[in-house]
Amino acid sequence: MRLKELESYLQQVDVFEKPKVELEQYPTTPHIASHMLYTIDKTFRDIEGKFVADLGCGCGVLSVGTAMLGSALTVGFDIDSDALSIAASNCSEIEIGGIEFIQDDVVKIVDNCRWNNAFDTVIMNPPFGTKNNKGIDIYLLLLETRITFRVSGNPTVVNFSSQKIP
């Protein structure tokens, strides 16, 4: 899939009508999402055929994008049932499969051993800790390394700035 084609598809993804400020909800634009995901896939080869986790998936733009790029399975986690409802609706309207959504507090999923070392790649557009959750962005980066499958001891973790975390 070409970059412009991915961006065009992601423009069809619905976003929050009323974002919840306390959860630091904000949509990831199709332009940013498509460039981020395209780079992760084409430069690092970390989406196609991979098991991908989308932490704090919100309305699912990154999850939808990974499925469009051929992930083996993408699991989107979010604490907000309203956001997950929009995400599920997006998948239905776009008619894309290979995505599961789970309502859970992403900072607590490590407590569920089921997710430890379960994913090849973890993506997210994290909250930045501006609403009574200082340091959440760093905590989520550390969490990523716990749930990412390690190949030769090197997890594949990609954050919003599309940089690999060693």
Side-chain angles (χ1 to χ4, degrees):
M1 176 176 288
R2 294 180 337 195
L3 175 60
K4 290 293 180 189
E5 185 179 14
L6 178 61
E7 184 174 352
S8 176
Y9 281 122
L10 293 181
Q11 288 173 352
Q12 299 173 42
V13 175
D14 291 331
V15 296
F16 304 104
E17 286 184 27
K18 294 182 179 180
K20 297 175 182 169
V21 175
E22 68 277 8
L23 295 177
E24 293 191 52
Q25 292 178 333
Y26 49 90
T28 304
T29 67
H31 179 77
I32 290 173
S34 61
H35 281 76
M36 173 182 147
L37 296 173
Y38 193 83
T39 300
I40 294 167
D41 188 48
K42 301 305 179 193
T43 302
F44 301 114
R45 303 205 183 285
D46 285 334
I47 293 179
E48 185 177 357
K50 305 289 185 177
F51 291 95
V52 179
D54 181 0
L55 301 184
C57 65
C59 299
V61 68
L62 297 178
S63 295
V64 167
T66 61
M68 288 180 171
L69 290 169
S71 66
L73 175 70
T74 297
V75 180
F77 295 91
D78 205 287
I79 196 169
D80 183 27
S81 62
D82 295 331
L84 292 174
S85 178
I86 296 169
S89 177
N90 281 328
C91 291
S92 178
E93 288 177 21
I94 295 171
E95 298 180 350
I96 193 151
I99 305 172
E100 299 290 331
F101 293 107
I102 296 176
Q103 184 178 2
D104 205 349
D105 183 343
V106 296
V107 300
K108 295 180 181 173
I109 65 170
V110 183
D111 296 337
N112 183 342
C113 294
R114 174 182 179 195
W115 303 116
N116 288 345
N117 299 317
F119 299 100
D120 299 304
T121 303
V122 177
I123 58 171
M124 68 174 172
N125 183 358
F128 295 104
T130 62
K131 304 296 178 204
N132 297 320
N133 55 357
K134 185 177 181 179
I136 190 70
D137 51 343
I138 300 303
Y139 180 80
L140 290 175
L141 287 172
L142 295 173
L143 169 69
E144 286 179 314
T145 63
R146 294 270 309 271
I147 66 170
T148 307
F149 179 69
R150 295 173 187 268
V151 179
S152 302
N154 297 316
T156 301
V157 177
V158 184
N159 64 17
F160 186 69
S161 63
S162 300
Q163 296 177 9
K164 277 196 166 187
I165 308 297

